[in-house]
Amino acid sequence: MKQSKVFIPTMREVPAEAEALSHRLLLKAGLIKQSTSGIYSYLPLATRVLNNISKIIREEMEKVDAVEILMPALQQAELWEESGRWGAYGPELMRLKDRNGREFALGPTHEEVVTSLVRDELKSYKRLPLTLFQIQSKFRDEQRPRFGLLRGREFIMKDAYSFHADEASLDETYQDMYNAYDRIFKRVGINARPVVADSGAIGGNHTHEFMALSEIGEDTIVYSNESDYAANIEKAEVVYTANPKNTEVAELKKIETPNIKTAEEVAKYLKRPLDEIVKTMICKVDGEFIMVLIRGHHELNDVKLKAYFGTDQIEMANQDEIINIVGAHPGSLGPIHDKDIKIYADNFVQDLNNFVIGANEDGYHFENAQLDRDFKVDEFGDFRFILEGEPLSDGSGNAQFAEGIEVGQVFKLGTKYSETMNATFLDNQGKAQPLIMGCYGIGVSRTLSAIVEQHHDDNGIIWPKSVTPFDLHLITINPKKEDQRELGNQLYDQLMNNYDVLYDDRQERAGVKFNDADLIGLPIRVVVGKRAEEGIVEVKQRSTGESEEIHIDDLENYINDLYLTLN
Ligand code: ATP
Ligand code: MG
């Protein structure tokens, strides 16, 4: 393609609010243009990369017998009411009405639509298993759209759904998909790590996320250097072994702590170590208030709390609710009270004696609190985030942390949707059974951005050849010079037979052309310049910057060999 005819609006200055490197580079290299917050147009180069990623996904989906369909993005509320998610999904769901006042959503995901599709069409176990997938725009009114394509409000997803007669069949497809995801991310050039993730209220170890390692990642991965253990920090179990502190017991003492609120402030004010302060929080679980206790240096993990109580419905109590319950502001909360509210504590609270807690009276705390003597804990559990260096639950050493971008997720749904939506099949006894389901997503547009996060240098993008928008960047330095223009045109015709060529035929200064070429990042650059007359051009690798002068008689062979060595 001639660059003079392609729409590549490269930028000199990118807006300051573009924090993520991939966001800046995609804007700068003219791949995307923001329409409004979290919503982008994909320009020609990005479209080509998306097509390449999609092609790889399609090939790998075919290998695991997944068939492509395309479902509506506009979904009637009735379906979501059947699954119970019309109420439960929250403000991320983009809701709208048609001219008759009938309610719809713009699909953030397609479990409801696919379940209703299959339940109406698939009646017999003989047709199972069945896996359907699509590549389509999804809509989520994210609270914080950011980092460009990494967290958009409209984004492209590959979503697949599998249907099974039994668990063994689901296990098999799950493993196939897991392996396919591994291959997909390798093929598109992403260094991704599958991690055990939280499966929400359904429970169990039934989901893996694929994390592209990157500093900008919003997820923390906990992994082991000694085994292949890897988990999302939300899920990483904390192993509790008793390690009691302050074995001498002292008397409970109420002390004044004016304007002291956080655990850190309390520790500083009382000159006590942070881990001897116990934080008290009030949460609403399925509408019922509970207290949760955590040591000062630990942090509450609401995902673990949700898994513990088997619900998605957990919120922190607000200030008014807290004042109403204990008669004090959040900064003075404590477990010593006569209210009818259950107390849950993180396992590690058991190690403490003589600890500090709020007194349920503004401006006061208790020192020397003791379990059982001063208050009773109803249940202990693992309610906090693991810390770096703590032992891992597989016994393989200590927790290491890395940041990752979730580029894909595989999930065993079981009968969650088929039961609520009454999607059954007839088994070999002729008996109706709920379909067993799995779902499998890849953020296609997020993947595009994640590739750039992992493949760039100070000058721009460095595309892996599997997804690059064009293979070769052919540049004539001065197309006004006839010999250069003619050789450029000749090589363009010739190289196009075997490669996708972007031909920079623009009347721009050499510096502008080279800057743009670095920014756009095609794997190989062929420059027609001063030595055009002698039939000599320069061939440069984008990744290493190495270049060589090559005679045009040897050019094809040289490029063929070089291209083979590239990633
Ligand atoms: P996240 O935790 O990042 O919000 P999610 O777990 O809610 O994502 P899924 O429902 O698992 O997302 O969607 C499947 C895939 O779609 C994700 O693995 C991710 O790659 C992609 N994705 C999800 N939300 C977005 C978004 N707002 N922008 C771009 N891609 C997204
Ligand atoms: Mg996910």
Side-chain angles (χ1 to χ4, degrees), residues 140 209 406 408-409 411:
R140 294 184 186 178
E209 290 164 343
E406 182 194 321
Q409 182 164 22
F411 205 110

Side-chain angles (χ1 to χ4, degrees), residues 108 206 333 444 477 480 512 515 528 532:
H206 295 317
L333 269 184
V444 180
I477 290 186
K480 282 194 190 130
V512 171
N515 274 344
V528 180

Side-chain angles (χ1 to χ4, degrees), residues 38 89 108-109 111 138-140 142 145-146 148-159 181 185 209-210 218-219 232 234 405-411 440-447:
Y89 205 94
T109 172
E111 283 82 6
K138 296 280 189 274
F139 303 84
R140 294 184 186 178
E142 297 276 358
R146 58 186 187 147
L149 302 185
L150 290 176
R151 184 167 299 284
R153 297 198 295 163
E154 175 174 339
F155 58 96
I156 303 173
M157 198 201 285
K158 185 284 301 187
D159 46 329
Y181 275 36
F185 292 121
E209 290 164 343
F210 285 77
E218 294 179 285
D219 288 273
N232 190 310
E234 292 177 336
I405 300 166
E406 182 194 321
V407 281
Q409 182 164 22
V410 290
F411 205 110
Y440 318 89
I442 290 180
V444 180
S445 45
R446 184 182 281 186
T447 294

Side-chain angles (χ1 to χ4, degrees), residues 254-271:
K254 190 164 162 185
I255 40 168
E256 214 174 326
T257 48
N259 290 321
I260 302 286
K261 294 196 175 72
T262 65
E264 285 78 10
E265 287 166 1
V266 175
K268 203 169 153 205
Y269 183 74
L270 298 177
K271 300 192 175 57

Side-chain angles (χ1 to χ4, degrees), residues 15 51 75 84 107 139 207 211 224 232 249-250 273 287 295 345 359 431 457 477 485 498 524 537 553:
N51 287 342
Q75 309 181 358
F139 303 84
T207 176
M211 295 289 187
S224 167
N232 190 310
V249 177
R295 283 170 68 173
K431 203 169 150 243
D457 62 15
I477 290 186
R485 190 176 62 244
N498 292 315
I524 296 177
V537 296
D553 292 346

Side-chain angles (χ1 to χ4, degrees), residues 255-302:
I255 40 168
E256 214 174 326
T257 48
N259 290 321
I260 302 286
K261 294 196 175 72
T262 65
E264 285 78 10
E265 287 166 1
V266 175
K268 203 169 153 205
Y269 183 74
L270 298 177
K271 300 192 175 57
R272 295 277 302 257
L274 185 60
D275 70 351
E276 290 178 13
I277 317 297
V278 169
K279 300 184 276 196
T280 306
M281 282 151 281
I282 297 186
C283 310
K284 209 196 251 178
V285 179
D286 283 330
E288 190 187 324
F289 290 106
I290 60 159
M291 264 187 183
V292 186
L293 309 184
I294 304 275
R295 283 170 68 173
H297 63 314
H298 291 152
E299 230 188 294
L300 181 69
N301 179 335
D302 64 325

